Amino acid sequence: DADVTQTPRNRITKTGKRIMLECSQTKGHDRMYWYRQDPGLGLQLIYYSFDVKDINKGEISDGYSVSRQAQAKFSLSLESAIPNQTALYFCATSDPGPQETQYFGPGTRLLVL
Amino acid sequence: GENVEQHPSTLSVQEGDSAVIKCTYSDSASNYFPWYKQELGKRPQLIIDIRSNVGEKKDQRIAVTLNKTAKHFSLHITETQPEDSAVYFCAAARSNDYKLSFGAGTTVTVRA
């Protein structure tokens, strides 16, 4: 779904480095989410935002922070990357309503050495 | 919080046969249950979802059933085809926040 984009698509970094993953959407959705995916664990919610002034922690927020710069942009930061943050990261968006559905971006593959 | 368990973790079926994946959830307030399909190297894509006001929903070869009393829901794929091979995830959420809790996934392989 080209309406939700993530940059970079792949990133290799070293332990202790700060890294930012970016998500942009042209769907006009209010709600945005960050998930990480590890083999055998499904997707786990890191942070979510229901509008520009709203930020909420998910299941596994430790070691991460987020910024909702605009309705269309939601960034995820790793302040000091560690190897167990190596994972596939997905951004998702949704619009509140009776038929609300989440749409995922293409993912960012992160390797922390 | 919500805990979603998904079984089996892997499933191999002969082309043309049916595939069934089952999920259980713990939060009785959950009322939204989507299923996502993820092909290798790609993003999860919604294939079907069900809300708690119905017990079954069909879309061509795919159906989902929900038993709120027992807190479980299932995905049924009939007449499987090679392009059905993928990882399938179930999820559950409350409709007031749509914070999805995912199962661990089922890798489905359709043998030609």
Side-chain angles (χ1 to χ4, degrees), chain A residues 44-56:
Chain A
Q44 296 173 280
L45 183 63
I46 306 172
Y47 271 96
Y48 62 102
S49 168
F50 282 175
D51 62 44
V52 175
K53 297 181 180 180
D54 177 74
I55 299 290
N56 303 282

mmCIF file with all atom_site columns, all heavy atoms in Angstrom, chain A residues 44-56:
data_model
loop_
_atom_site.group_PDB
_atom_site.id
_atom_site.type_symbol
_atom_site.label_atom_id
_atom_site.label_alt_id
_atom_site.label_comp_id
_atom_site.label_asym_id
_atom_site.label_entity_id
_atom_site.label_seq_id
_atom_site.pdbx_PDB_ins_code
_atom_site.Cartn_x
_atom_site.Cartn_y
_atom_site.Cartn_z
_atom_site.occupancy
_atom_site.B_iso_or_equiv
_atom_site.pdbx_formal_charge
_atom_site.auth_seq_id
_atom_site.auth_comp_id
_atom_site.auth_asym_id
_atom_site.auth_atom_id
_atom_site.pdbx_PDB_model_num
ATOM 1   N N   . GLN A 1 44 ? 4.467  -6.816 17.942 1.00 0.00 ? 44 GLN A N   1
ATOM 2   C CA  . GLN A 1 44 ? 4.237  -6.247 19.261 1.00 0.00 ? 44 GLN A CA  1
ATOM 3   C C   . GLN A 1 44 ? 4.178  -4.728 19.147 1.00 0.00 ? 44 GLN A C   1
ATOM 4   O O   . GLN A 1 44 ? 5.020  -4.115 18.479 1.00 0.00 ? 44 GLN A O   1
ATOM 5   C CB  . GLN A 1 44 ? 5.359  -6.667 20.216 1.00 0.00 ? 44 GLN A CB  1
ATOM 6   C CG  . GLN A 1 44 ? 5.414  -8.174 20.467 1.00 0.00 ? 44 GLN A CG  1
ATOM 7   C CD  . GLN A 1 44 ? 6.648  -8.537 21.274 1.00 0.00 ? 44 GLN A CD  1
ATOM 8   O OE1 . GLN A 1 44 ? 7.750  -8.643 20.759 1.00 0.00 ? 44 GLN A OE1 1
ATOM 9   N NE2 . GLN A 1 44 ? 6.447  -8.725 22.563 1.00 0.00 ? 44 GLN A NE2 1
ATOM 10  N N   . LEU A 1 45 ? 3.219  -4.136 19.833 1.00 0.00 ? 45 LEU A N   1
ATOM 11  C CA  . LEU A 1 45 ? 3.000  -2.698 19.762 1.00 0.00 ? 45 LEU A CA  1
ATOM 12  C C   . LEU A 1 45 ? 4.016  -1.951 20.617 1.00 0.00 ? 45 LEU A C   1
ATOM 13  O O   . LEU A 1 45 ? 4.175  -2.242 21.804 1.00 0.00 ? 45 LEU A O   1
ATOM 14  C CB  . LEU A 1 45 ? 1.575  -2.386 20.226 1.00 0.00 ? 45 LEU A CB  1
ATOM 15  C CG  . LEU A 1 45 ? 1.121  -0.935 20.168 1.00 0.00 ? 45 LEU A CG  1
ATOM 16  C CD1 . LEU A 1 45 ? 1.111  -0.424 18.734 1.00 0.00 ? 45 LEU A CD1 1
ATOM 17  C CD2 . LEU A 1 45 ? -0.258 -0.799 20.793 1.00 0.00 ? 45 LEU A CD2 1
ATOM 18  N N   . ILE A 1 46 ? 4.693  -0.965 20.008 1.00 0.00 ? 46 ILE A N   1
ATOM 19  C CA  . ILE A 1 46 ? 5.709  -0.194 20.725 1.00 0.00 ? 46 ILE A CA  1
ATOM 20  C C   . ILE A 1 46 ? 5.101  1.106  21.266 1.00 0.00 ? 46 ILE A C   1
ATOM 21  O O   . ILE A 1 46 ? 5.172  1.404  22.447 1.00 0.00 ? 46 ILE A O   1
ATOM 22  C CB  . ILE A 1 46 ? 6.901  0.126  19.805 1.00 0.00 ? 46 ILE A CB  1
ATOM 23  C CG1 . ILE A 1 46 ? 7.461  -1.142 19.174 1.00 0.00 ? 46 ILE A CG1 1
ATOM 24  C CG2 . ILE A 1 46 ? 8.007  0.832  20.605 1.00 0.00 ? 46 ILE A CG2 1
ATOM 25  C CD1 . ILE A 1 46 ? 8.519  -0.870 18.104 1.00 0.00 ? 46 ILE A CD1 1
ATOM 26  N N   . TYR A 1 47 ? 4.546  1.909  20.359 1.00 0.00 ? 47 TYR A N   1
ATOM 27  C CA  . TYR A 1 47 ? 3.896  3.178  20.692 1.00 0.00 ? 47 TYR A CA  1
ATOM 28  C C   . TYR A 1 47 ? 2.743  3.397  19.722 1.00 0.00 ? 47 TYR A C   1
ATOM 29  O O   . TYR A 1 47 ? 2.735  2.867  18.614 1.00 0.00 ? 47 TYR A O   1
ATOM 30  C CB  . TYR A 1 47 ? 4.873  4.362  20.550 1.00 0.00 ? 47 TYR A CB  1
ATOM 31  C CG  . TYR A 1 47 ? 5.676  4.714  21.766 1.00 0.00 ? 47 TYR A CG  1
ATOM 32  C CD1 . TYR A 1 47 ? 6.960  4.224  21.928 1.00 0.00 ? 47 TYR A CD1 1
ATOM 33  C CD2 . TYR A 1 47 ? 5.158  5.559  22.747 1.00 0.00 ? 47 TYR A CD2 1
ATOM 34  C CE1 . TYR A 1 47 ? 7.713  4.562  23.050 1.00 0.00 ? 47 TYR A CE1 1
ATOM 35  C CE2 . TYR A 1 47 ? 5.905  5.908  23.870 1.00 0.00 ? 47 TYR A CE2 1
ATOM 36  C CZ  . TYR A 1 47 ? 7.186  5.400  24.014 1.00 0.00 ? 47 TYR A CZ  1
ATOM 37  O OH  . TYR A 1 47 ? 7.930  5.742  25.109 1.00 0.00 ? 47 TYR A OH  1
ATOM 38  N N   . TYR A 1 48 ? 1.792  4.241  20.154 1.00 0.00 ? 48 TYR A N   1
ATOM 39  C CA  . TYR A 1 48 ? 0.725  4.634  19.253 1.00 0.00 ? 48 TYR A CA  1
ATOM 40  C C   . TYR A 1 48 ? 0.291  6.061  19.544 1.00 0.00 ? 48 TYR A C   1
ATOM 41  O O   . TYR A 1 48 ? 0.508  6.577  20.654 1.00 0.00 ? 48 TYR A O   1
ATOM 42  C CB  . TYR A 1 48 ? -0.460 3.660  19.315 1.00 0.00 ? 48 TYR A CB  1
ATOM 43  C CG  . TYR A 1 48 ? -1.162 3.551  20.649 1.00 0.00 ? 48 TYR A CG  1
ATOM 44  C CD1 . TYR A 1 48 ? -2.372 4.187  20.886 1.00 0.00 ? 48 TYR A CD1 1
ATOM 45  C CD2 . TYR A 1 48 ? -0.615 2.771  21.672 1.00 0.00 ? 48 TYR A CD2 1
ATOM 46  C CE1 . TYR A 1 48 ? -3.015 4.066  22.108 1.00 0.00 ? 48 TYR A CE1 1
ATOM 47  C CE2 . TYR A 1 48 ? -1.245 2.650  22.898 1.00 0.00 ? 48 TYR A CE2 1
ATOM 48  C CZ  . TYR A 1 48 ? -2.448 3.287  23.109 1.00 0.00 ? 48 TYR A CZ  1
ATOM 49  O OH  . TYR A 1 48 ? -3.108 3.164  24.324 1.00 0.00 ? 48 TYR A OH  1
ATOM 50  N N   . SER A 1 49 ? -0.328 6.662  18.535 1.00 0.00 ? 49 SER A N   1
ATOM 51  C CA  . SER A 1 49 ? -0.730 8.062  18.626 1.00 0.00 ? 49 SER A CA  1
ATOM 52  C C   . SER A 1 49 ? -2.087 8.234  17.965 1.00 0.00 ? 49 SER A C   1
ATOM 53  O O   . SER A 1 49 ? -2.265 7.831  16.810 1.00 0.00 ? 49 SER A O   1
ATOM 54  C CB  . SER A 1 49 ? 0.319  8.936  17.916 1.00 0.00 ? 49 SER A CB  1
ATOM 55  O OG  . SER A 1 49 ? -0.146 10.257 17.747 1.00 0.00 ? 49 SER A OG  1
ATOM 56  N N   . PHE A 1 50 ? -3.035 8.829  18.667 1.00 0.00 ? 50 PHE A N   1
ATOM 57  C CA  . PHE A 1 50 ? -4.367 8.981  18.114 1.00 0.00 ? 50 PHE A CA  1
ATOM 58  C C   . PHE A 1 50 ? -4.568 10.343 17.444 1.00 0.00 ? 50 PHE A C   1
ATOM 59  O O   . PHE A 1 50 ? -5.541 10.535 16.728 1.00 0.00 ? 50 PHE A O   1
ATOM 60  C CB  . PHE A 1 50 ? -5.430 8.750  19.180 1.00 0.00 ? 50 PHE A CB  1
ATOM 61  C CG  . PHE A 1 50 ? -5.662 7.292  19.492 1.00 0.00 ? 50 PHE A CG  1
ATOM 62  C CD1 . PHE A 1 50 ? -6.517 6.914  20.508 1.00 0.00 ? 50 PHE A CD1 1
ATOM 63  C CD2 . PHE A 1 50 ? -5.021 6.297  18.780 1.00 0.00 ? 50 PHE A CD2 1
ATOM 64  C CE1 . PHE A 1 50 ? -6.739 5.573  20.795 1.00 0.00 ? 50 PHE A CE1 1
ATOM 65  C CE2 . PHE A 1 50 ? -5.221 4.948  19.059 1.00 0.00 ? 50 PHE A CE2 1
ATOM 66  C CZ  . PHE A 1 50 ? -6.097 4.595  20.071 1.00 0.00 ? 50 PHE A CZ  1
ATOM 67  N N   . ASP A 1 51 ? -3.707 11.289 17.740 1.00 0.00 ? 51 ASP A N   1
ATOM 68  C CA  . ASP A 1 51 ? -3.662 12.533 16.985 1.00 0.00 ? 51 ASP A CA  1
ATOM 69  C C   . ASP A 1 51 ? -2.340 13.216 17.305 1.00 0.00 ? 51 ASP A C   1
ATOM 70  O O   . ASP A 1 51 ? -1.527 12.673 18.047 1.00 0.00 ? 51 ASP A O   1
ATOM 71  C CB  . ASP A 1 51 ? -4.873 13.444 17.264 1.00 0.00 ? 51 ASP A CB  1
ATOM 72  C CG  . ASP A 1 51 ? -4.967 13.903 18.707 1.00 0.00 ? 51 ASP A CG  1
ATOM 73  O OD1 . ASP A 1 51 ? -3.924 14.296 19.284 1.00 0.00 ? 51 ASP A OD1 1
ATOM 74  O OD2 . ASP A 1 51 ? -6.073 13.865 19.269 1.00 0.00 ? 51 ASP A OD2 1
ATOM 75  N N   . VAL A 1 52 ? -2.122 14.383 16.739 1.00 0.00 ? 52 VAL A N   1
ATOM 76  C CA  . VAL A 1 52 ? -0.813 15.036 16.826 1.00 0.00 ? 52 VAL A CA  1
ATOM 77  C C   . VAL A 1 52 ? -0.363 15.279 18.263 1.00 0.00 ? 52 VAL A C   1
ATOM 78  O O   . VAL A 1 52 ? 0.818  15.179 18.574 1.00 0.00 ? 52 VAL A O   1
ATOM 79  C CB  . VAL A 1 52 ? -0.831 16.357 16.037 1.00 0.00 ? 52 VAL A CB  1
ATOM 80  C CG1 . VAL A 1 52 ? 0.478  17.112 16.226 1.00 0.00 ? 52 VAL A CG1 1
ATOM 81  C CG2 . VAL A 1 52 ? -1.050 16.083 14.559 1.00 0.00 ? 52 VAL A CG2 1
ATOM 82  N N   . LYS A 1 53 ? -1.276 15.515 19.167 1.00 0.00 ? 53 LYS A N   1
ATOM 83  C CA  . LYS A 1 53 ? -0.892 15.825 20.542 1.00 0.00 ? 53 LYS A CA  1
ATOM 84  C C   . LYS A 1 53 ? -1.012 14.626 21.480 1.00 0.00 ? 53 LYS A C   1
ATOM 85  O O   . LYS A 1 53 ? -0.919 14.781 22.708 1.00 0.00 ? 53 LYS A O   1
ATOM 86  C CB  . LYS A 1 53 ? -1.753 16.977 21.066 1.00 0.00 ? 53 LYS A CB  1
ATOM 87  C CG  . LYS A 1 53 ? -1.556 18.278 20.302 1.00 0.00 ? 53 LYS A CG  1
ATOM 88  C CD  . LYS A 1 53 ? -2.401 19.398 20.876 1.00 0.00 ? 53 LYS A CD  1
ATOM 89  C CE  . LYS A 1 53 ? -2.181 20.695 20.103 1.00 0.00 ? 53 LYS A CE  1
ATOM 90  N NZ  . LYS A 1 53 ? -3.003 21.804 20.647 1.00 0.00 ? 53 LYS A NZ  1
ATOM 91  N N   . ASP A 1 54 ? -1.199 13.456 20.910 1.00 0.00 ? 54 ASP A N   1
ATOM 92  C CA  . ASP A 1 54 ? -1.442 12.268 21.727 1.00 0.00 ? 54 ASP A CA  1
ATOM 93  C C   . ASP A 1 54 ? -0.362 11.224 21.468 1.00 0.00 ? 54 ASP A C   1
ATOM 94  O O   . ASP A 1 54 ? -0.116 10.838 20.323 1.00 0.00 ? 54 ASP A O   1
ATOM 95  C CB  . ASP A 1 54 ? -2.821 11.682 21.371 1.00 0.00 ? 54 ASP A CB  1
ATOM 96  C CG  . ASP A 1 54 ? -3.113 10.409 22.132 1.00 0.00 ? 54 ASP A CG  1
ATOM 97  O OD1 . ASP A 1 54 ? -3.398 10.498 23.325 1.00 0.00 ? 54 ASP A OD1 1
ATOM 98  O OD2 . ASP A 1 54 ? -3.040 9.313  21.515 1.00 0.00 ? 54 ASP A OD2 1
ATOM 99  N N   . ILE A 1 55 ? 0.315  10.775 22.529 1.00 0.00 ? 55 ILE A N   1
ATOM 100 C CA  . ILE A 1 55 ? 1.335  9.730  22.437 1.00 0.00 ? 55 ILE A CA  1
ATOM 101 C C   . ILE A 1 55 ? 1.074  8.736  23.559 1.00 0.00 ? 55 ILE A C   1
ATOM 102 O O   . ILE A 1 55 ? 0.878  9.156  24.717 1.00 0.00 ? 55 ILE A O   1
ATOM 103 C CB  . ILE A 1 55 ? 2.760  10.301 22.599 1.00 0.00 ? 55 ILE A CB  1
ATOM 104 C CG1 . ILE A 1 55 ? 3.070  11.320 21.502 1.00 0.00 ? 55 ILE A CG1 1
ATOM 105 C CG2 . ILE A 1 55 ? 3.786  9.172  22.608 1.00 0.00 ? 55 ILE A CG2 1
ATOM 106 C CD1 . ILE A 1 55 ? 3.231  10.744 20.120 1.00 0.00 ? 55 ILE A CD1 1
ATOM 107 N N   . ASN A 1 56 ? 1.089  7.436  23.241 1.00 0.00 ? 56 ASN A N   1
ATOM 108 C CA  . ASN A 1 56 ? 0.820  6.419  24.245 1.00 0.00 ? 56 ASN A CA  1
ATOM 109 C C   . ASN A 1 56 ? 1.812  5.275  24.122 1.00 0.00 ? 56 ASN A C   1
ATOM 110 O O   . ASN A 1 56 ? 2.180  4.887  23.006 1.00 0.00 ? 56 ASN A O   1
ATOM 111 C CB  . ASN A 1 56 ? -0.591 5.851  24.068 1.00 0.00 ? 56 ASN A CB  1
ATOM 112 C CG  . ASN A 1 56 ? -1.648 6.915  24.117 1.00 0.00 ? 56 ASN A CG  1
ATOM 113 O OD1 . ASN A 1 56 ? -2.015 7.400  25.186 1.00 0.00 ? 56 ASN A OD1 1
ATOM 114 N ND2 . ASN A 1 56 ? -2.136 7.336  22.953 1.00 0.00 ? 56 ASN A ND2 1
#
